Amino acid sequence: MCAARLKLLLCNLHVRGRQSTAISKLSYSYSSAQRIRAMEYLVGIQGKDFVLVAADNVAASSIIQMKHDYDKMFKLSEKILLLCVGEAGDTVQFAEYIQKNVQLYKMRNGYELSPAAAANFTRKNLADYLRSRTPYHVNLLLAGYDDTDGPGLFYMDYLSSLAKAPFAAHGYGAFLTLSILDRYYKPDLTREEAVDLLKKCIEELNKRFIMNLPSFTVRLIDKEGIHDLEKLTHGAK
Amino acid sequence: MALQDLCNFQDVFLDSVTTECSSVHFGKKTGCDFMQGSPFSNSSSLFNFYIPPVPLPFPISHGTTTLAFLFQGGVLAAADTRSSCAGQVACPASLKIRPVHSHMVSTTSGTSADCALWVRILSRELRLYQLRHGRRLSISGAAKLLSHMLHPFKGTKLCVAAILCGWDGGEEDGRHDNGGTKTELGGCTETAKKIAKSLDTSLQKTQSSSPTLGGQQHLTREKIRFSGPSLFYVCSDGTRLQGALFSVGSGSPYAYSILDQDVKWELTLDEATSIARQAVYRATHRDAYSGNHVDIFHISSKGWTRRSREDLKEEYYREKERRERGMRRDVTYEKAQCGD
């Protein structure tokens, strides 16, 4: 897990150089938007028969928080959630595109895509656009519950990498919280333990992260579907 | 249209003598992206000095101050009137709040020409939608339409940051499709204050008052249509946000700090106007790229109304005088209220 993360980090640094010579679309908004993008935070924790996901609620533009209650999760189907952060317009455009296509699949074939299939479909689309004139700069977590395979959490990033992981996080906040997840995670977490672990992560962010993230949307997916849990807020808002 | 304006503007700039009268003659407020500090290589001697562009600490975008917020009386939109270009005031009396149709206005910031063009394109598309479907498109739908229209231009220099302010529902022509046409899925209703109201086809709606609890919900084929004030921020980088309070432009941080303190749902129209005016005034005071006058538009169920344009220079002198009077009167500093 640690080696893969390091490799992704190095790949990140290497490819950025190449992509800066690409068409204006990337280079224009790259440097300034990059900093703001990484200030968003996504996290997912997979338990024995559920997946717990959380995302921050800030929609920022330059130095201003334009919205404090922005929902970064997109419901793909009854048991699949797509969490999407990244460049301003790309997130909504890409996530809605995937969302509508997953629903179209269900309409055409009469049954829903499994989380693994949806994740691979998403990754394929990201990969197809990656070397086009208009790549999508989005980082994703796809969380779902499959009746045969059980819960699944998939980590995808803007270079269209895909990894199924027991826990994952995106953004600068990930640097602060992945070690907490490493230390306390066990595969047979109960729901309460997972929420406690999530709270530990968020406490750490509130303590050490430079950006103020006042509240987080939390959702849980299990065989009954998607459940909204209580928003986790910081004291002062 | 935008390209032509841009070319004309450059021509005018080259001819240094006629700059001032030409800009009045055009009547068009062509601002350009002031972040381009490009020199005019074939300019006349008056503009031979070249100011190299200084890197910005963070992206200061859109030299303007515009704001809009929801309150119980509808939507209030306010903006300054300065169009700047490369550190100069291109036009001190530009119109930044443009009506789209009878129940919607759009505050614009970014490149003046782009904003003017895209707001016109939007009003054309909305009118076409109204003629084809017999009802107005919701503000949420209009925002989505604008966002999708601007998406292909992402990464180019096109710069439009608009706040769409309007009042949904309350059809006056009362043309309803009886067949239950699929209405467009509007934006998610997140704000707790908004309550969805279902439109019965048999009900001829004339004027809708402030949102009331909806009656029966027809779950069969009619979607629940929201009626009430609505506010959307749409940016050419792809952002589309629904909210209750937005401020856009280089003066927006200054405006936000005033608005965050005072804006509440329960404001009266006069209070809201006063707060909006105060916010724009403070922003114009601090921000170099905002200034001159303030425009205020109010949108209610009956449509939009415009308050007469006010020169903020007067306000500055009034406040200065008040302060001096206060200081002269007693030793303790009296807080100056910027009232109507």
Side-chain angles (χ1 to χ4, degrees), chain A residues 43-154:
Chain A
V43 65
I45 304 172
Q46 179 192 327
K48 196 152 59 97
D49 56 353
F50 67 91
V51 189
L52 182 71
V53 286
D56 72 289
N57 284 333
V58 168
S61 168
S62 167
I63 57 165
I64 302 279
Q65 284 187 8
M66 297 214 74
K67 245 174 107 77
H68 310 284
D69 56 357
Y70 184 63
D71 193 359
K72 299 182 184 174
M73 303 194 192
F74 295 83
K75 184 174 148 180
L76 297 190
S77 75
E78 288 308 313
K79 294 182 192 171
I80 308 181
L81 269 180
L82 182 69
L83 286 77
C84 193
V85 292
E87 204 176 311
D90 286 353
T91 48
V92 178
Q93 292 281 133
F94 185 73
E96 286 191 345
Y97 173 70
I98 300 294
Q99 191 181 41
K100 302 311 172 199
N101 271 292
V102 169
Q103 287 169 359
L104 180 63
Y105 184 95
K106 181 182 176 188
M107 281 182 220
R108 280 187 176 148
N109 301 297
Y111 60 91
E112 289 184 342
L113 274 173
S114 68
N120 277 288
F121 170 69
T122 309
R123 190 213 69 84
K124 180 79 168 71
N125 269 290
L126 266 176
D128 287 339
Y129 280 102
L130 183 63
R131 290 181 203 272
S132 71
R133 293 175 64 89
T134 56
Y136 284 108
H137 204 292
V138 291
N139 292 318
L140 310 163
L141 284 183
L142 192 141
Y145 188 90
D146 193 24
D147 292 322
T148 40
D149 298 328
L153 177 68
F154 297 87

Side-chain angles (χ1 to χ4, degrees), chain B residues 184-230:
Chain B
E184 182 175 330
L185 261 170
C188 46
T189 53
E190 298 161 359
T191 339
K193 294 171 193 127
K194 298 198 187 118
I195 304 159
K197 186 174 185 165
S198 67
L199 280 176
D200 201 349
T201 45
S202 57
L203 196 78
Q204 286 288 328
K205 282 198 58 58
T206 49
Q207 303 290 345
S208 68
S209 52
S210 52
T212 55
L213 268 168
Q216 300 92 6
Q217 288 186 356
H218 296 265
L219 295 170
T220 46
R221 288 176 67 195
E222 283 178 43
K223 298 266 169 65
I224 297 169
R225 277 188 230 148
F226 166 71
S227 170
S230 198

Side-chain angles (χ1 to χ4, degrees), chain B residues 120-135:
Chain B
R120 281 188 70 183
I121 290 176
L122 180 68
S123 39
R124 178 192 72 190
E125 292 301 324
L126 293 184
R127 179 65 181 147
L128 283 172
Y129 184 95
Q130 186 180 5
L131 289 170
R132 286 170 185 151
H133 296 86
R135 61 174 186 87

Side-chain angles (χ1 to χ4, degrees), chain A residues 159-201:
Chain A
L159 297 168
S160 70
S161 62
L162 169 68
K164 184 171 192 302
F167 57 86
H170 274 299
Y172 281 148
F175 289 96
L176 293 166
T177 52
L178 277 170
S179 45
I180 300 177
L181 291 165
D182 277 330
R183 186 176 172 200
Y184 291 109
Y185 177 80
K186 23 191 232 296
D188 55 352
L189 279 178
T190 66
R191 285 166 174 69
E192 292 76 25
E193 286 169 350
V195 173
D196 281 338
L197 181 52
L198 180 64
K199 281 186 181 158
K200 276 200 189 71
C201 292

Side-chain angles (χ1 to χ4, degrees), chain B residues 5 37 65 79 100-101 119 122 144 147 158 171 192 205 212 214 241 250 252 259 288 300 305 307 313:
Chain B
D5 283 342
T65 307
V100 174
H101 58 63
V119 170
L122 180 68
K144 198 124 187 115
S147 176
L158 185 135
E171 295 291 331
K205 282 198 58 58
T212 55
L241 300 172
S250 54
S252 65
L259 295 169
S300 65
T305 49
R307 201 165 162 271
K313 178 177 59 180

Side-chain angles (χ1 to χ4, degrees), chain B residues 153 195 311:
Chain B
F153 298 94
I195 304 159
D311 193 345

